[in-house]
Amino acid sequence: MKEKNHLQIQDFLPYLLNRAAENTSLDFQKTYKDRYGMLRTEWRVLFHLGRYGDLTAKQICTMADLHKTKVSRAVSALERQRFLERTRVPTDRRNELLSLTKQGQAAFGHLQTEATRYHETLVASFTVEEQAILQKCLKQLANFS
Amino acid sequence: MKEKNHLQIQDFLPYLLNRAAENTSLDFQKTYKDRYGMLRTEWRVLFHLGRYGDLTAKQICTMADLHKTKVSRAVSALERQRFLERTRVPTDRRNELLSLTKQGQAAFGHLQTEATRYHETLVASFTVEEQAILQKCLKQLANFS
DNA sequence: CATTGATAGTTACAAATGCAACAAATATCG
DNA sequence: CGATATTTGTTGCATTTGTAACTATCAATG
């Protein structure tokens, strides 16, 4: 005679996360799509290179949690648009080191500013403590399982 | 001579949300994909019908924040697999009311239980207060802009 | 009621993605 | 060394998605 205490499904975390992710990502996309013709994955690769310096595709896969196919295609697109260049690593010629061009660095600089601004509007109504908890929880969920 | 105080890009909210959403969704997908052959959108449509009773496609679009083509295709797939049925509304024959079949209700019942269990494992390491703040923030971000 | 406009839902085509197979370089181990 | 296995990255094909155009029904206006 036990009533199961079910989660209200509209509170289901993966569902909420998806909605929040899609909503904010589509919104921010306006910032880079029209001006730089980038896709979401490309912007993600770009900002890893801007933030962490030269990396191999494999390193980006690991850090950004992206499949190597996605990274491969994003790198090709960014290269075609002259946002980055590749150089083979002589000591292990399977790797190629990816570096932003001047143009790529300029785009990164601009988008970093815009991202900062956008992030701040997103969290504007949250307290500092709430922001910290949100960050903590999301980072844990991003690495869960 | 002003140093801009840039956000650390790995803290950028849309990025964190995407990673957390993808990670948890792919994880939970194991629960419905193999057993019921559903895709993510189909599961989402199913649980809206299970939770809120009969709805039109349009209502699901609004409530779940899904594009009508996605809903249309998910409904077709769910119908093909006999999880739901459609009936034209006589007073306005543009609408069709979607209702779960017995089989659809059974799947919903099962998946609701699994979702509850999975949700609990996700938040197991968070305090009750943290859970509440996370919910509040995510709901706001899901409706932002 | 006839024209025009709006709404619910579908479909066709292009773009993006996931998966598996692949090539090339290196590592391992007899 | 030489055979086999592993790693890095790309490509082909099937699936999924997004966009826009479409059909069918209903509403509004003259």
Side-chain angles (χ1 to χ4, degrees):
Chain A
M1 203 69 162
K2 197 166 65 162
E3 268 289 312
K4 279 223 186 113
N5 202 358
H6 276 306
L7 175 76
Q8 291 306 304
I9 206 75
Q10 70 274 25
D11 294 339
F12 186 45
L13 215 33
Y15 171 62
L16 281 177
L17 289 167
N18 265 290
R19 289 196 50 168
E22 272 315 296
N23 187 38
T24 58
S25 294
L26 287 176
D27 202 15
F28 184 69
Q29 192 183 39
K30 294 200 291 283
T31 310
Y32 55 83
K33 190 176 185 187
D34 291 341
R35 176 152 176 182
Y36 299 106
M38 284 181 208
L39 301 177
R40 201 185 298 179
T41 312
E42 293 161 26
W43 148 240
R44 208 148 141 182
V45 167
L46 180 91
F47 88 58
H48 273 84
L49 289 171
R51 168 71 178 83
Y52 297 104
D54 300 356
L55 298 168
T56 67
K58 171 71 185 182
Q59 287 176 304
I60 296 177
C61 293
T62 306
M63 298 171 73
D65 194 24
L66 286 171
H67 194 270
K68 60 182 181 174
T69 311
K70 261 177 134 174
V71 172
S72 173
R73 290 192 259 240
V75 166
S76 296
L78 289 170
E79 186 187 36
R80 195 173 336 122
Q81 300 163 271
R82 307 273 180 268
F83 287 122
L84 62 74
E85 288 169 344
R86 338 188 187 207
T87 45
R88 286 276 174 197
V89 178
T91 60
D92 184 343
R93 295 172 31 72
R94 286 171 302 183
N95 295 283
E96 40 191 19
L97 210 53
L98 307 170
S99 1
L100 293 185
T101 60
K102 282 259 180 290
Q103 189 185 339
Q105 287 173 26
F108 172 72
H110 170 236
L111 289 176
Q112 188 182 29
T113 304
E114 292 299 320
T116 303
R117 189 197 319 280
Y118 183 66
H119 181 99
E120 273 158 15
T121 69
L122 282 180
V123 301
S125 69
F126 304 153
T127 68
V128 173
E129 193 205 357
E130 286 171 344
Q131 292 178 37
I133 289 173
L134 182 61
Q135 285 273 337
K136 191 204 87 168
C137 292
L138 289 180
K139 282 179 184 168
Q140 194 164 324
L141 292 168
N143 297 317
F144 185 82
S145 97
Chain B
M1 203 68 165
K2 195 167 66 164
E3 268 289 312
K4 280 227 185 104
N5 202 359
H6 276 307
L7 175 76
Q8 291 307 305
I9 205 75
Q10 69 274 25
D11 295 338
F12 186 45
L13 215 33
Y15 171 62
L16 281 177
L17 289 167
N18 264 292
R19 289 195 49 167
E22 271 315 296
N23 187 39
T24 58
S25 294
L26 287 177
D27 202 14
F28 183 68
Q29 194 183 38
K30 294 199 291 281
T31 309
Y32 55 82
K33 190 175 185 187
D34 291 341
R35 176 151 175 182
Y36 299 106
M38 284 180 208
L39 299 178
R40 201 185 300 179
T41 311
E42 294 160 25
W43 147 241
R44 208 148 142 181
V45 167
L46 180 91
F47 87 58
H48 273 83
L49 290 171
R51 169 71 179 82
Y52 297 105
D54 300 358
L55 298 168
T56 67
K58 171 71 183 181
Q59 287 176 302
I60 296 177
C61 292
T62 307
M63 297 172 72
D65 194 25
L66 287 170
H67 195 269
K68 59 183 180 173
T69 53
K70 258 178 137 175
V71 172
S72 173
R73 291 192 261 240
V75 166
S76 296
L78 289 170
E79 187 188 35
R80 195 173 337 120
Q81 301 163 270
R82 307 271 182 269
F83 287 121
L84 63 74
E85 288 170 345
R86 339 189 186 207
T87 45
R88 286 277 174 197
V89 177
T91 61
D92 184 344
R93 296 174 27 72
R94 287 171 302 184
N95 293 283
E96 41 191 20
L97 210 54
L98 308 170
S99 0
L100 293 185
T101 59
K102 282 260 179 291
Q103 191 186 338
Q105 287 173 26
F108 172 71
H110 170 236
L111 289 176
Q112 188 182 30
T113 304
E114 292 300 318
T116 303
R117 189 198 319 281
Y118 184 65
H119 181 98
E120 274 159 14
T121 69
L122 282 180
V123 300
S125 70
F126 303 154
T127 69
V128 173
E129 191 205 358
E130 285 170 344
Q131 293 179 35
I133 289 173
L134 182 60
Q135 285 274 337
K136 191 205 84 168
C137 292
L138 290 180
K139 282 179 185 170
Q140 193 164 324
L141 292 168
N143 299 316
F144 185 82
S145 99

